[in-house]
Amino acid sequence: MHKTMIIDSHFHAYSGKDCSGFLRDLMEKAGLDAISIASIPKELVHDEHFYNEEALKLKKENPGKVYAFGSLDYSDKGYLRGKVDFAGQAKRLFEAGADGIKMLEGKTNARKALGIPLDSPIYDSFYSYMQENAFPILMHVADPEEFWDPVKAPDWAKKRGWFWGDGSFPSKEQLYSETEGILGKFPKLKITFAHFFFLSADIGRASRFLDKWKNVSFDITPGWEMYDNFSRSSSDWSAFFKNYNERIIFGTDNAPPSKDNYAGQLERCISTISKIRDFLETDKEMLSGKGISLDTASLKKICSGNFLKAIRSPYENHSG
Ligand SMILES: [Zn+2]
């Protein structure tokens, strides 16, 4: 059987730590062909993941094996008054070799900390620069709907402080409407929405969104609630994945060990990859149902082809 090339489009790292050995071990042991490292915006949330320089360095040292998505810097709070040049930040990242920009700005707690809407005019020159150059954005918007629900919010999420139901956070619908606001202004923007845009519980809405905005994609980085939803209606989702096989991108949220648990973390990362592959490639019983057993052509696009196309080629749909 022909081997499908696999690229993990959504991997995180830690600043100040060299993870090149871990990356090499993971690629070899998990059968990955390449990894794309996503940095996280500076001084919103998760500063340990602001990783622009390290990601660019790893890319340079591992050509064709490591890709780098940089992120924006919010340490100058003048951005709130439109005084920070985000387009200039992006330009410098691309000149330094970045493949795209990772935005966490639309994660519910990050958006609260940000203090401006995702479609604020403060971002217009940035989005415009990205659209003009057909540079890709990997963007986290929203969260699973349970995170707003005091009864249904999972304990692991509450423990991480990820409960959005106290009235101080933007609602899921507000985050979606700000996203529509971005795309309304910049309809050709090439955005991959992380974690399936948190629409795995609503297949109709997922397909309406992809039909409306022709240059956006979803990544299938877990949240296992996604795979719970997918596997429960595996025949519907199998048809969806085949139909939109140019709009879905493989990713994991894997990361190197944050402390001294190298072997355990390596094992966890490998297991995440093999669970996702089982779901895509087989009809094995799993989670709430079974896998979706995709055809080879769809697998090739989802597992690497769509990512490579997103970072390399200009727009598919020039509509004016
Ligand atoms: Zn992530």
Side-chain angles (χ1 to χ4, degrees):
M1 206 177 102
H2 195 271
K3 187 188 165 292
T4 305
M5 183 180 184
I6 300 180
I7 299 179
D8 180 358
S9 72
H10 189 149
F11 183 93
H12 294 291
Y14 297 96
S15 64
K17 284 192 179 179
D18 179 13
C19 67
S20 46
F22 188 83
L23 285 176
R24 273 194 293 275
D25 279 353
L26 179 59
M27 282 192 259
E28 191 192 315
K29 298 226 161 72
L32 288 178
D33 294 275
I35 285 177
S36 180
I37 301 175
S39 183
I40 294 291
K42 190 173 185 185
E43 294 198 19
L44 280 185
V45 284
H46 301 312
D47 267 350
E48 72 279 16
H49 293 302
F50 179 73
Y51 202 73
N52 285 352
E53 278 170 33
E54 290 95 332
L56 290 167
K57 182 166 174 276
L58 283 164
K59 181 187 165 170
K60 269 198 195 101
E61 291 167 355
N62 300 277
K65 302 295 265 177
V66 174
Y67 297 94
F69 275 51
S71 49
L72 301 176
D73 182 344
Y74 292 89
S75 47
D76 178 353
K77 299 301 167 199
Y79 79 82
L80 291 164
R81 288 170 286 117
K83 300 282 185 220
V84 171
D85 179 13
F86 290 125
Q89 288 188 18
K91 189 160 183 277
R92 283 191 291 283
L93 283 166
F94 286 102
E95 283 166 358
D99 297 291
I101 301 290
K102 164 69 195 260
M103 296 182 79
L104 189 75
E105 284 83 338
K107 185 173 171 70
T108 314
N109 56 338
R111 167 62 186 81
K112 179 182 168 182
L114 182 67
I116 54 171
L118 302 171
D119 59 348
S120 160
I122 285 171
Y123 285 119
D124 282 358
S125 60
F126 163 72
Y127 290 130
S128 164
Y129 170 79
M130 296 299 284
Q131 177 170 267
E132 256 167 50
N133 291 283
F135 288 145
I137 299 176
L138 170 58
M139 192 172 194
H140 182 127
V141 173
D143 280 295
E145 39 281 352
E146 304 85 82
F147 287 19
W148 280 266
D149 184 324
V151 179
K152 291 187 193 147
D155 283 337
W156 67 263
K158 283 183 184 161
K159 267 186 207 135
R160 295 185 71 166
W162 293 357
F163 169 63
W164 317 136
D166 72 359
S168 74
F169 292 90
S171 68
K172 197 173 181 187
E173 288 309 321
Q174 183 183 337
L175 297 168
Y176 285 150
S177 108
E178 292 179 9
T179 305
E180 296 269 344
I182 301 170
L183 292 166
K185 284 193 272 187
F186 304 99
K188 291 195 289 183
L189 207 50
K190 215 153 60 170
I191 307 183
T192 299
F193 291 99
H195 314 292
F196 214 77
F197 203 31
F198 299 97
L199 289 179
S200 63
D202 193 342
I203 192 168
R205 189 168 181 177
S207 70
R208 284 192 301 278
F209 187 76
L210 291 178
D211 291 344
K212 183 171 179 191
W213 307 109
K214 300 290 187 193
N215 289 291
V216 310
S217 306
F218 293 155
D219 87 18
I220 50 169
T221 299
W224 292 108
E225 87 288 344
M226 282 161 48
Y227 289 87
D228 230 12
N229 290 330
F230 293 151
S231 61
R232 190 178 303 123
S233 318
S234 62
S235 62
D236 292 344
W237 282 108
S238 181
F240 182 102
F241 272 60
K242 284 173 191 160
N243 190 22
Y244 295 102
N245 64 15
E246 307 209 320
R247 317 283 298 280
I248 297 170
I249 295 181
F250 183 90
T252 64
D253 248 346
N254 277 339
S258 57
K259 296 188 200 83
D260 196 16
N261 58 345
Y262 194 97
Q265 184 63 8
L266 188 60
E267 207 172 293
R268 249 193 305 281
C269 290
I270 293 170
S271 140
T272 296
I273 292 163
S274 69
K275 277 196 261 180
I276 299 173
R277 291 193 59 182
D278 276 351
F279 166 76
L280 294 172
E281 295 172 25
T282 76
D283 59 0
K284 275 186 211 165
E285 306 254 330
M286 62 181 72
L287 297 160
S288 313
K290 54 186 194 150
I292 57 173
S293 188
L294 291 176
D295 57 289
T296 310
S298 296
L299 286 171
K300 279 186 178 166
K301 291 176 186 173
I302 290 169
C303 292
S304 58
N306 296 337
F307 172 78
L308 291 173
K309 203 162 79 178
I311 62 168
R312 283 177 189 163
S313 43
Y315 295 103
E316 299 298 304
N317 301 286
H318 277 287
S319 51

